[in-house]
Amino acid sequence: MSSRILSGILGVGVDIVQISRIQAVAMRRGYDRLANRILSETEKNDWNSLTDTYLRNRFLAVRWAVKEAAYKALYPAFRPSWGYLTFRSLYGAHSKPSLVFTDRNANPPILAPVKLHASVSHDAGFVVAYVLAESDSKL
C-alpha cells in the first residue's frame, strides 16, 4: 500500500465482461482454480453454495468485472490483489451492493482506508461494473 493517500476521489473504474468468456476460461483452467484465483474467502463460500451452472458463471463474471473496475479506480494509490476485494450483491431488504478492500498485508489484516462505491448490471450475456474509490474520511 502507498503511504501517501490524497483525500477525496482516488479514481473511477469501469469494466465489461462477457459471461461466456468467463465460462470458457473456467472450463479451460477449471472452475475451482479460477474461483480460488479471483474470489475472496467470503465470496468462495457464496459461490460454493450455488448449484446452477449459469448462476455460478454469472457470479464469477460479476466479481471479475467489479474487481477489474476497482483496480482501475484504486491504481496507483493501491494495487489490490483479487482476493483482497470482496463484493456483496444486494442482501437484505434495504441494502445496496458493497465492495470492501481488506489489506491482508497488515498484521492483523485491516480494512484499507478507502471507501468503494460499486454498481453492477448484467443483461444479454454481459456484465458491466463501475467503481468509484474515495479516500476514507478518517484520513
Side-chain angles (χ1 to χ4, degrees), residues 32 47-48 50-60:
D32 289 334
W47 184 76
N48 284 326
L50 298 173
T51 57
D52 181 79
T53 302
Y54 177 77
L55 293 178
R56 290 176 68 119
N57 289 327
R58 187 177 71 191
F59 187 94
L60 291 173

Side-chain angles (χ1 to χ4, degrees), residues 10-80:
L10 297 175
V12 177
V14 62
D15 196 63
I16 186 169
V17 68
Q18 197 168 14
I19 296 172
S20 61
R21 176 176 161 246
I22 299 303
Q23 178 182 7
V25 169
M27 291 175 73
R28 264 194 324 274
R29 297 193 177 157
Y31 276 94
D32 289 334
R33 187 172 171 200
L34 179 62
N36 285 330
R37 178 178 165 224
I38 69 170
L39 300 179
S40 69
E41 291 302 318
T42 301
E43 292 168 326
K44 281 185 221 174
N45 291 333
D46 294 342
W47 184 76
N48 284 326
S49 71
L50 298 173
T51 57
D52 181 79
T53 302
Y54 177 77
L55 293 178
R56 290 176 68 119
N57 289 327
R58 187 177 71 191
F59 187 94
L60 291 173
V62 165
R63 271 68 191 172
W64 184 290
V66 166
K67 293 176 184 199
E68 284 286 327
Y71 188 89
K72 293 170 186 174
L74 290 165
Y75 184 85
F78 298 95
R79 295 178 183 169

Side-chain angles (χ1 to χ4, degrees), residues 1-5 77:
M1 271 203 222
S2 171
S3 60
R4 183 171 179 243
I5 302 170

Side-chain angles (χ1 to χ4, degrees), residues 54-128:
Y54 177 77
L55 293 178
R56 290 176 68 119
N57 289 327
R58 187 177 71 191
F59 187 94
L60 291 173
V62 165
R63 271 68 191 172
W64 184 290
V66 166
K67 293 176 184 199
E68 284 286 327
Y71 188 89
K72 293 170 186 174
L74 290 165
Y75 184 85
F78 298 95
R79 295 178 183 169
S81 296
W82 292 87
Y84 290 28
L85 297 160
T86 299
F87 179 73
R88 301 299 301 256
S89 51
L90 295 173
Y91 54 96
H94 303 287
S95 180
K96 292 174 25 173
S98 67
L99 179 58
V100 177
F101 175 22
T102 305
D103 178 9
R104 293 194 296 185
N105 292 324
N107 190 8
I110 59 169
L111 291 179
V114 294
K115 186 170 185 178
L116 299 172
H117 307 272
S119 180
V120 177
S121 185
H122 44 81
D123 189 28
F126 287 90
V127 174
V128 63

